[in-house]
Amino acid sequence: MPVDGPKDTGGKDAGAPVPPKPCPVCGKPADPATLPFCSKRCRDVDLNRWLSGRYVIPGRPTDPEDAE
């Protein structure tokens, strides 16, 4: 007969609050209103980096024949 007991949570306390991850721009704690950033400024800095081409998601190389 199975006994209802605490479930294995992989060593983590399921009731413990999770600390916010740091802002990816400046490293300060993230603000819930601007997640995952700490402020509107850092959110805008990140957007500018995407729009200016500083951040790039690599794609697969194209064949010269495909370009024709």
Side-chain angles (χ1 to χ4, degrees):
M1 180 171 171
V3 177
D4 287 326
K7 300 210 184 295
D8 182 19
T9 59
K12 295 184 179 180
D13 185 10
V18 177
K21 290 186 177 183
C23 173
V25 175
C26 71
K28 292 179 183 176
D31 179 17
T34 56
L35 278 176
F37 307 102
C38 69
S39 66
K40 183 180 180 313
R41 179 192 174 279
C42 282
R43 186 177 61 190
D44 291 342
V45 166
D46 185 73
L47 178 61
N48 182 53
R49 289 177 181 173
W50 280 104
L51 296 176
S52 67
R54 186 166 167 194
Y55 292 154
V56 179
I57 299 174
R60 69 186 148 100
T62 58
D63 291 332
E65 295 175 4
D66 291 341
E68 294 176 359

